Amino acid sequence: MTPAGTPPHDLDDPEKLAAADPSDFLRAVEALPAQLGEAIGLARAVDDLPPAEGLTAIAVLGMGGSGISGELLRSVLAPLAPVPVVTIRDYDVPAWVGPGTLVFAVSYSGDTEETLSAFRQAAARGARIVAVTTGGTLAGEAAAGGYPVVLVPGGLMPRAALGYVGVPPLVVCGRLGLAPGLDAALDEAVEVATRRAAECHRSVPAASNPAKALAARLVGCLPLVWGSEGIAGAAAYRLKCQLNENAKVLAGWATFPELNHNEVVGLYRSGRDLAPNPAPFGVVVLRHEGEHPRTSRRIDVTRSLVSDSVEFIEDVWARGSSPLARLLDLVTTGDHASTYLGIIRSVDPAPIAAIDILKAALG
Ligand code: PA5
C-alpha cells in the first residue's frame, strides 16, 4: 500500500514520470503490440517442428514472466485444441509427459533452473520439444538435442517480453493445426493491443487514460483481481503478477465461478453476517463478452453483495472478438496500470531485487 500522506504522483507530467521510471520500463510496456507482431514472424520462420500426429497433451514449462506464456496458451487453446494444455511451473514434469506430449520449454534468460530441470526430464521421456528463449543454457541444450529453438531478442526484463515468450507457442500450435482460426486471431490481437496501448500511452492524460485511471484507483488499496475462468482468469493472474513486480504491492487473484465458493467469504469479518473486513480491498474484475452467461450473472450478484465491504469494485472490459485479442487487450491495460501504480507509489517499476537475490543465493 502507499504510505498514508504520500502525495499522488502526477502521471501527466513527463519530467516527473521520467524521473520516477529511470530505466524507462514503461517503454517496454508500450512496445508490446510491436513485439507481438515481431514474435509472430520469428515463430513462423522456425523449421523442423515436431509432428502433431498422435499428440496426447501439450505442456508449457516456464516460471514467472516466462511461465505466463503457458496461461496464455492454455486459456486460448482450451476451447479449440483436441488435447489438454497444462502449465508446469516446477522442477519435475508429471508422469504423463512422454512421446505424445508437445512441450514448450520457455525461459527468457534460458537459465532458469526449474525450467531446465523440467526440460531435461521431458527430453529424457522422448517428448516433442520446442524451446523459446533468448539463449543461455536452454538454447544450447535444445539445439544440441536437435529440438527447434525460437530465438527471441534479449535485453528486456522477462515480464516485459510477453510477446516474445507468449506468442511462439501459439503460432507453433497454429502451424501444427491444433488451433483453427489462430492466424486471424493473432492479427486481430495485434490490432486490438495496438489500439489499447495507444489509449494507455503516457502521453494520454489521466482523465482519458484507462490505465492511469485504474492505477489511481488502486492507490492505498489491497488489490484483488478477478476474472472468469479462461482468458480473463489468465489476464487476472498476469495482472496480479505485474502488480507484484511493477508496483511492488501484494495482490490477490481468483476466478469466477470458483471464488464464489471461498474467496468471497474472506471479504467479511465473520461468517455469520456481512460485517466488512477492515482491509481496504480494491477489486478489479476483468470482463469480456464471451463469459458464460451464468458467470456474468454471478459477477453481477457478487458485485452487489461485496460493494459495501470493498473500497471499490470496478469492471475492466476487453475489446476484440477472438479470445486471444480479448486476453491481450486486458493484458495491455493491466501492464500499463501496474507500471503507473509503481510510478505513483514512487517505486521504480523495473528492479526486482528479491528475485535477483533469491536466484543468486540459489546459485
Ligand atoms: O519477472 C521475472 O523476471 C521472473 O518472473 C522471471 O521471468 C522468472 O524468474 C523466470 O526467468 P526466465 O523468464 O528468464 O526464465
Side-chain angles (χ1 to χ4, degrees):
M1 277 188 280
T2 304
T6 303
H9 192 284
D10 181 2
L11 293 171
D12 292 343
D13 180 329
E15 276 176 25
K16 286 191 187 150
L17 196 132
D21 179 18
S23 62
D24 205 3
F25 183 80
L26 192 51
R27 184 170 305 283
V29 173
E30 290 164 351
L32 176 65
Q35 202 185 97
L36 296 172
E38 192 185 343
I40 292 171
L42 291 170
R44 283 185 181 153
V46 169
D47 294 325
D48 300 323
L49 294 182
E53 286 73 37
L55 211 63
T56 53
I58 301 171
V60 181
L61 320 177
M63 306 301 297
S66 293
I68 191 71
S69 55
E71 294 312 298
L72 248 65
L73 191 74
R74 186 180 65 81
S75 63
V76 170
L77 256 63
L80 303 172
V83 294
V85 183
V86 177
T87 308
I88 298 170
R89 302 188 191 89
D90 198 1
Y91 292 92
D92 296 326
V93 297
W96 50 259
V97 171
T101 315
L102 173 62
V103 167
F104 293 99
V106 186
S107 169
Y108 188 69
S109 63
D111 290 320
T112 297
E113 66 175 35
E114 299 95 317
T115 312
L116 288 171
S117 163
F119 158 75
R120 288 168 187 150
Q121 287 185 13
R125 302 256 193 94
R128 311 169 194 193
I129 301 177
V130 177
V132 181
T133 183
T134 58
T137 308
L138 179 59
E141 290 192 15
Y147 303 112
V149 179
V150 184
L151 260 190
V152 299
L156 297 167
M157 310 291 280
R159 65 189 187 281
L162 179 67
Y164 291 141
V165 294
V167 162
L170 288 160
V171 171
V172 168
C173 287
R175 287 178 62 192
L176 294 180
L178 298 167
L182 207 56
D183 271 356
L186 281 161
D187 290 343
E188 191 206 4
V190 175
E191 185 210 308
V192 166
T194 302
R195 197 144 52 98
R196 183 65 77 186
E199 285 176 10
C200 296
H201 193 266
R202 69 183 87 191
S203 59
V204 178
S208 50
N209 184 317
K212 289 182 180 177
L214 180 58
R217 291 214 79 178
L218 285 169
V219 174
C221 288
L222 180 59
L224 298 178
V225 192
W226 293 348
S228 53
E229 189 60 41
I231 55 161
Y237 179 61
R238 166 72 173 181
L239 179 49
K240 173 260 178 219
C241 297
Q242 293 289 73
L243 288 165
N244 296 152
E245 294 190 58
N246 299 344
K248 281 76 180 171
V249 292
L250 281 176
W253 78 285
T255 54
F256 285 99
E258 175 68 9
L259 75 86
N260 274 173
H261 301 271
N262 34 60
E263 175 147 326
V264 73
V265 182
L267 295 173
Y268 301 98
R269 206 166 38 208
S270 131
R272 291 204 181 84
D273 55 30
L274 297 183
N277 185 319
F281 299 115
V283 184
V284 181
V285 190
L286 304 182
R287 309 289 310 268
H288 63 90
E289 283 170 11
E291 286 165 358
H292 190 290
R294 289 296 293 167
T295 295
S296 302
R297 173 84 185 118
R298 280 180 180 276
I299 294 174
D300 290 344
V301 173
T302 306
R303 184 189 301 98
S304 10
L305 180 77
V306 308
S307 54
D308 288 343
S309 51
V310 298
E311 296 289 312
F312 73 88
I313 175 163
E314 182 167 308
D315 289 352
V316 174
W317 279 92
R319 277 202 206 109
S321 56
S322 64
L324 179 60
R326 290 171 178 163
L327 169 54
L328 288 168
D329 184 59
L330 292 171
V331 165
T332 302
T333 304
D335 282 9
H336 282 81
S338 56
T339 307
Y340 287 134
L341 181 60
I343 292 169
I344 295 176
R345 298 185 67 246
S346 302
V347 294
D348 183 344
I352 42 167
I355 295 176
D356 297 337
I357 292 166
L358 271 164
K359 285 187 179 180
L362 286 159

